[in-house]
Every structure is written in structure tokens, then in C-alpha cells.
């Protein structure tokens, strides 16, 4: 196998390994997504017509960036939410929970770092690691903050956020900081409707 073929196969393998994180539903035809909304949160179910896999999740309405960026991201928006379950594994080689928080951007992510800064109500600013693929719009977030602040959300976002009022998230965009404010009213009910786990281990 030539060098070009090996390189192509490596890229293809990487795409397959992470494809469960991205989710075809990001760009799916709306006719393929069954959804209902409550208090600004959308509960959706996506049935992939190619693979037969089903993914269930919850996400906010689109929110504008409140720390404006320059061209071409003046109108950047984002949704925040959780994938609550999927019949498609996140990894091929290593099993992983399908439940994870994410940020979905209106434009392809142009991030300077994969970390996200989050603040719940008037609490501390916590740093969460994320992962994304070049050209993708979705940032997969860790459920708990990293480093010495790990204990600040001991049960993870899925447990703490539904009990809060406001979640502010900041990401480092190449043109500057992008900041999004999400009202959390109705999130608890939306997560219950999507059958998201009510708690994660402390």
C-alpha cells in the first residue's frame, strides 16, 4: 500500500472512531428528526436512515455570541445540550458512555483551544476539556471540570445544571472569545423527557 493510500486510510479510521461523537443529526434533514420543545429546550430523536442507529438528546434554542467577533463570525450562534443516549458507540475500540454534553455552533468551529470555560449562576469559572474534528460544528465537552476544580461539580453538569438558573460558556475562537448565555429553566423537565440519567456518581 502506497504512502498516500496509508494516509487516506489513517484519516478514514480516525473519522470512523470519532463519528459517533459528531453525529449525522447535526446536518440532518428536519424531516428525519422527531422533536418537541418546552421552555426553550428541544428534545429530539434522530433515526439514521443509513445505519438504523437512534440518538436521543436535549438542546437549547440558538443563542447569540455576546462577545462579538469580527468577520466572518459576526452572527455566530450556539446551542448547548446533552446527548442522552445512542445505539451507536462513541468509540469502536474502547467502549464509552453515549451520554455527553456538547456545544453546537452555527458555523464550523474555528477554535484556538479545545477547552471551554463555564460559569453556573454566580459560582466559580470552571474549565472543561472538549474535542472536535476539523471542519465540524460540534464541541464535545467533558462532564466535569479539570484539575484542582474537579470537586466543584462532583456529580457533573448533568446533575448540577438542571438545578441552576444560568449557564455561561466561553470558548477561545481564533478571532477572540465567544461567549454564550443559556437560561436553564425547563432543562430538568427536558432531560427527564429524553430519559437522561438523573444523576451521575459523585
Amino acid at each position: 500500500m502506497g504512502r498516500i493510500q496509508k494516509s487516506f486510510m489513517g484519516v478514514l479510521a480516525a473519522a470512523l472512531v470519532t463519528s459517533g461523537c459528531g453525529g449525522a443529526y447535526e446536518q440532518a434533514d428536519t424531516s428525519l428528526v422527531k422533536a418537541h420543545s418546552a421552555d426553550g429546550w428541544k428534545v429530539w430523536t434522530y433515526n439514521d436512515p443509513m445505519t438504523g442507529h437512534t440518538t436521543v438528546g436535549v438542546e437549547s434554542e440558538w443563542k447569540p455570541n455576546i462577545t462579538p467577533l469580527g468577520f466572518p463570525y459576526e452572527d455566530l450562534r450556539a446551542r448547548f445540550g446533552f446527548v442522552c443516549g445512542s445505539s451507536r458507540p462513541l468509540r469502536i475500540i474502547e467502549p464509552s458512555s453515549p451520554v455527553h454534553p456538547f456545544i453546537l455552533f452555527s458555523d464550523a468551529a474555528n477554535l484556538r483551544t479545545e477547552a471551554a470555560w463555564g460559569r453556573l449562576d454566580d459560582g466559580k469559572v470552571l474549565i472543561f476539556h472538549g474535542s472536535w474534528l476539523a471542519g465540524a460544528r460540534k464541541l464535545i465537552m467533558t462532564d466535569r471540570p479539570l484539575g484542582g476544580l474537579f470537586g466543584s461539580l462532583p456529580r457533573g453538569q448533568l446533575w448540577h445544571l438542571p438545578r441552576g438558573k444560568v449557564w455561561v460558556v466561553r470558548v477561545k475562537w481564533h478571532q477572540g472569545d465567544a461567549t454564550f448565555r443559556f437560561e436553564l429553566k425547563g432543562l430538568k423537565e427536558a432531560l427527564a423527557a429524553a430519559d437522561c440519567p438523573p444523576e451521575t456518581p459523585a
Side-chain angles (χ1 to χ4, degrees):
M1 185 180 293
R3 182 176 299 175
I4 294 177
Q5 287 178 308
K6 288 182 179 178
S7 177
F8 174 78
M9 291 302 292
V11 171
L12 180 60
L16 287 172
V17 168
T18 56
S19 61
C21 293
Y25 60 85
E26 292 173 15
Q27 290 85 25
D29 186 308
T30 53
S31 65
L32 301 177
V33 179
K34 299 177 182 178
H36 69 271
S37 301
D39 289 321
W41 293 89
K42 181 173 73 174
V43 180
W44 49 262
T45 301
Y46 175 68
N47 300 302
D48 191 320
M50 286 291 285
T51 66
H53 290 298
T54 299
T55 307
V56 181
V58 170
E59 62 186 36
S60 71
E61 297 175 335
W62 288 108
K63 298 296 182 180
N65 170 28
I66 59 177
T67 49
L69 300 170
F71 178 83
Y73 300 108
E74 302 97 324
D75 300 320
L76 181 67
R77 298 169 297 147
R79 293 183 186 271
F80 173 76
F82 292 90
V83 169
C84 294
S86 177
S87 62
R88 183 179 193 174
L90 288 183
R91 298 184 181 93
I92 294 175
I93 300 173
E94 177 186 352
S96 178
S97 170
V99 179
H100 59 267
F102 66 87
I103 303 174
L104 183 63
F105 301 106
S106 57
D107 290 294
N110 188 13
L111 303 177
R112 195 163 69 233
T113 173
E114 292 184 336
W117 286 253
R119 178 170 178 160
L120 178 60
D121 299 333
D122 293 326
K124 296 179 180 178
V125 175
L126 306 175
I127 301 175
F128 298 84
H129 181 68
S131 61
W132 63 291
L133 291 176
R137 295 190 294 129
K138 187 176 182 182
L139 174 66
I140 307 294
M141 300 173 64
T142 54
D143 188 43
R144 305 174 189 226
L146 303 179
L149 297 176
F150 183 87
S152 298
L153 293 180
R155 296 187 178 181
Q157 294 183 61
L158 191 58
W159 190 89
H160 288 274
L161 263 62
R163 291 157 174 77
K165 295 180 181 179
V166 176
W167 176 242
V168 179
V169 180
R170 173 168 290 174
V171 294
K172 299 291 184 181
W173 214 260
H174 273 293
Q175 282 82 350
D177 291 343
T179 309
F180 307 95
R181 177 186 172 98
F182 302 100
E183 303 291 334
L184 300 177
K185 180 182 178 182
L187 175 57
K188 185 176 183 179
E189 291 74 18
L191 289 170
D195 201 25
C196 251
E199 296 187 8
T200 56

